[in-house]
Amino acid sequence: MTQLLAPGHRMCAGCGDALATKFALKGAGDRCIVVSPTGCIEVSTTPYPESSWNVPWIHSLFDNAGAVAAGIEWGLKKLGKKEDTTVMVIAGDGATFDIGLQAMSGAFERGHDMVYVCVDNEAYMNTGIQRSGATPYDASTTTSPAGKVSFGNPLPKKNMPAIMADHGSPYVATASIAYAKDAIRKVARAAEIEGPAYIQIHAPCCTGWKFDSSKTVEVGRLAVEAGLWPMYEMIDGRIEKAKKIRDRKPVEEYLRMQGRFKHLFTMEGGEEEIARIQAIADWNAEYYEME
Amino acid sequence: MKVIHAAIVKPGTTLVNKTGGWRTFMPECNYELCNGCGICETYCPDSVIVKDGDRYAPNLDYCKGCGICANVCPKDAITMILEGK
Ligand SMILES: Cc1ncc(C[n+]2csc(CCOP(=O)(O)OP(=O)(O)O)c2C)c(N)n1
Ligand code: SF4
Ligand code: SF4
Ligand SMILES: [Mg+2]
């Protein structure tokens, strides 16, 4: 079978975004139309005059993927051609949490039948690792650099799945590139459900998080095992089936693998910061009933 | 000045860009250890591992040498070796 995303794209060796895109396409199947706002996935799959996509694909603006997908969905419906076609957005976290939130909010409010996949690499990677609303507490980025006066990003990660669930979305889920089958199943389920569905896929970025390209899946798995990336599905706003974690790993193991948290192990006061991050994982474990 | 507002290009055309040239290390599979589970194929970000009979093998024209396949292989059948060019 032809790969829905052909090789030859320019995503970095070991890119988590590439895996998330591959799984999203596997889940949605070949009867889909994809909208991508600007970001690593868009830039590296479509250097003019080439394209890696083997499904219809359109580049929206950075800020209006939700509106473009809504227009496609409406157009197909008016033409009587919607049938089993899935309209799917594949967008970065910057495009989702910050820049495209308004257009996306409108689309979810109106209830368009679409699957919105946020590929969450926890910063604006394509422009060189700037902090976004998805960047976790204490991660060092170029706009939240760790140094004498700072431990990195001072703000907690925004709870985007909850925001989308509160829009009345019938299906919201979190997934990870480290759990391929689960991610593919969730996208397939989202495509089947009528209405605006939201899936946030954790996608470690070796370049921005600073770890070896061979460890993308390992890092992703550790985020889940440490309780920092809860995996769950929400049906009509209610959490269903959060993934159980046996023998939760200390967050330190996850942090230690990545250059973006290196300062926590060298700076004075780093220990207390790690304890704060551990508290986030403990809160997750209790809230999502992981144990 | 002619301004291009939008363009339509042919699908799957990045195939002209052979990313194998990016590689420093090359995956080498020991088929005595490989049990054909296909986990390497699942987690290759570039979708370059293909099934050839009951064997999985990377298409070296496009393999970027990231090393994920070697890292996820449950049988430790794949080793990344420095490629002599
Ligand atoms: C309106 C607008 N502002 C800024 C940019 C520049 N820009 C292009 S890609 C990008 C970062 C994208 O970040 P994200 O959505 O997280 O995707 P990633 O590259 O991390 O996959 C930025 C800031 C733009 N293209 N348009
Ligand atoms: S910067 Fe990160 S997300 Fe972007 S292509 Fe490279 S590894 Fe992928
Ligand atoms: S080294 Fe990376 S690109 Fe090459 S086959 Fe293995 S996973 Fe794929
Ligand atoms: Mg991003």
Side-chain angles (χ1 to χ4, degrees):
Chain A
M1 198 191 100
T2 330
Q3 297 284 359
L4 297 182
L5 190 78
H9 59 71
R10 278 77 161 171
M11 283 183 262
C12 302
C15 172
D17 274 33
L19 282 170
T21 307
K22 173 174 164 174
F23 301 153
L25 285 170
K26 272 228 167 94
D30 57 2
R31 285 196 61 89
C32 71
I33 297 176
V34 177
V35 179
S36 293
T38 316
C40 277
I41 294 168
E42 170 268 326
V43 165
S44 30
T45 57
T46 57
Y48 184 78
E50 298 163 25
S51 168
S52 300
W53 300 84
N54 277 316
V55 293
W57 176 92
I58 183 168
H59 176 205
S60 68
L61 294 175
F62 196 20
D63 28 18
N64 69 352
V68 171
I72 294 170
E73 186 255 8
W74 226 344
L76 288 171
K77 277 196 172 151
K78 293 280 169 212
L79 292 170
K81 289 183 173 169
K82 175 73 174 64
E83 292 162 11
D84 55 349
T85 304
T86 300
V87 179
M88 179 161 66
V89 175
I90 301 183
D93 53 285
T96 304
F97 283 59
D98 308 334
I99 314 269
L101 181 55
Q102 180 242 88
M104 178 194 184
S105 174
F108 272 59
E109 189 180 314
R110 293 187 300 273
H112 294 279
D113 185 21
M114 63 167 77
V115 179
Y116 191 112
V117 177
C118 170
V119 177
D120 188 1
N121 58 20
E122 305 191 320
Y124 293 83
M125 293 310 177
N126 183 60
T127 36
I129 326 170
Q130 290 84 25
R131 176 207 170 274
S132 79
T135 303
Y137 182 67
D138 273 356
S140 186
T141 70
T142 52
T143 49
S144 64
K148 270 189 200 125
V149 296
S150 167
F151 283 107
N153 178 39
L155 303 172
K157 188 181 178 88
K158 196 192 283 185
N159 191 348
M160 199 60 198
I163 294 168
M164 297 331 287
D166 279 352
H167 277 72
S169 166
Y171 185 75
V172 168
T174 56
S176 161
I177 58 93
Y179 296 81
K181 257 194 219 146
D182 178 74
I184 294 166
R185 179 188 65 79
K186 284 170 177 166
V187 176
R189 189 167 182 197
E192 230 157 69
I193 287 174
E194 174 83 24
Y198 177 72
I199 300 186
Q200 194 169 297
I201 306 183
H202 201 218
C205 160
C206 45
T207 304
W209 301 9
K210 306 202 169 13
F211 59 81
D212 188 80
S213 65
S214 64
K215 301 212 183 291
T216 306
V217 175
E218 198 181 322
V219 168
R221 204 179 301 132
L222 254 177
V224 173
E225 290 171 347
L228 285 172
W229 189 264
M231 295 220 287
Y232 53 86
E233 295 175 275
M234 291 173 93
I235 311 292
D236 296 324
R238 217 164 284 190
I239 295 172
E240 195 185 76
K241 273 206 305 211
K243 184 178 166 55
K244 298 277 178 207
I245 308 293
R246 250 179 291 139
D247 305 321
R248 194 151 49 88
K249 302 239 165 89
V251 297
E252 194 180 320
E253 253 182 72
Y254 172 67
L255 304 173
R256 206 180 269 287
M257 288 187 79
Q258 308 166 54
R260 65 177 174 158
F261 294 115
K262 192 176 71 190
H263 54 284
L264 299 179
F265 299 93
T266 56
M267 279 168 69
E268 206 177 305
E271 251 168 65
E272 287 96 89
E273 290 303 304
I274 293 172
R276 287 205 171 116
I277 298 170
Q278 185 61 56
I280 296 173
D282 296 346
W283 188 90
N284 284 343
E286 198 188 319
Y287 186 79
Y288 297 102
E289 297 174 7
M290 288 178 189
E291 286 159 340
Chain B
M1 192 178 77
K2 195 177 162 210
V3 180
I4 299 176
H5 294 283
I8 297 174
V9 299
K10 295 237 156 67
T13 40
T14 49
L15 283 174
V16 298
N17 182 46
K18 300 210 165 153
T19 48
W22 295 19
R23 208 167 49 234
T24 307
F25 295 94
M26 181 177 83
E28 195 177 63
C29 186
N30 176 347
Y31 289 104
E32 307 260 294
L33 296 174
C34 169
N35 66 359
C37 68
I39 287 178
C40 57
E41 188 264 348
T42 302
Y43 289 102
C44 171
D46 291 83
S47 305
V48 304
I49 297 182
V50 282
K51 202 167 185 185
D52 178 13
D54 48 355
R55 282 184 165 195
Y56 286 91
N59 179 343
L60 293 173
D61 281 348
Y62 298 99
C63 164
K64 293 173 183 167
C66 67
I68 289 180
C69 52
N71 192 259
V72 297
C73 173
K75 294 283 165 193
D76 284 329
I78 305 173
T79 322
M80 299 303 292
I81 55 164
L82 189 63
E83 196 174 1
K85 282 204 183 136

